[in-house]
Amino acid sequence: MTTVSNLPEGIPNSTNIADYVIIEDNVTLISCLVDSYVRIGRGAVVQPGAKLERGCIILPNTVVSPGQVVPAYTVWQGNPAQFVRDTTPQDVEAFEKSFNSEVQAARTHLDLLTHLGH
């Protein structure tokens, strides 16, 4: 995550991430807003002032342009990011499975670290 100190007025110079967000490997977030239940694919870049609304999916290697708003419950891909489709019930189910798997892995790691005295 990176922030930018000189942005146009009204765009925060911080990166804000809500609850229940999946961020995969090698993602770059720069002074942007990420709402709840968002999935950001591996290698994606979200540029300054962008806003990812609730439940959207950013596919791997996608570049979200500065100031771009990705509407809720939509799927985006490309450089620059372009609308692919609306999310489906299968997307929601896949998100829930992936999120639950990540939570379980985190609990397992916490238990192991606690057992080791960390």
Side-chain angles (χ1 to χ4, degrees):
M1 278 186 292
T2 306
T3 59
V4 177
S5 59
N6 297 323
L7 289 170
E9 188 173 328
I11 297 176
N13 64 349
S14 63
T15 297
N16 298 301
I17 303 170
D19 296 329
Y20 310 110
V21 173
I22 296 174
I23 301 172
E24 295 181 4
D25 299 336
N26 299 316
V27 168
T28 302
L29 303 174
I30 308 168
S31 297
C32 59
L33 302 173
V34 181
D35 204 348
S36 298
Y37 304 102
V38 168
R39 181 178 197 129
I40 305 172
R42 176 177 286 117
V45 177
V46 183
Q47 296 186 356
K51 181 177 181 184
L52 308 182
E53 293 185 343
R54 183 182 185 94
C56 73
I57 299 171
I58 304 301
L59 294 175
N61 301 310
T62 295
V63 177
V64 180
S65 298
Q68 185 172 7
V69 176
V70 176
Y73 302 104
T74 57
V75 178
W76 290 67
Q77 181 178 34
N79 181 5
Q82 295 180 350
F83 174 79
V84 175
R85 60 181 171 80
D86 291 327
T87 58
T88 65
Q90 291 81 8
D91 292 324
V92 174
E93 183 179 322
F95 179 91
E96 289 173 355
K97 282 183 181 178
S98 182
F99 189 83
N100 290 334
S101 175
E102 294 295 328
V103 168
Q104 186 57 44
R107 287 184 179 138
T108 299
H109 290 136
L110 177 61
D111 290 345
L112 176 60
L113 290 171
T114 302
H115 177 72
L116 295 172
H118 293 278

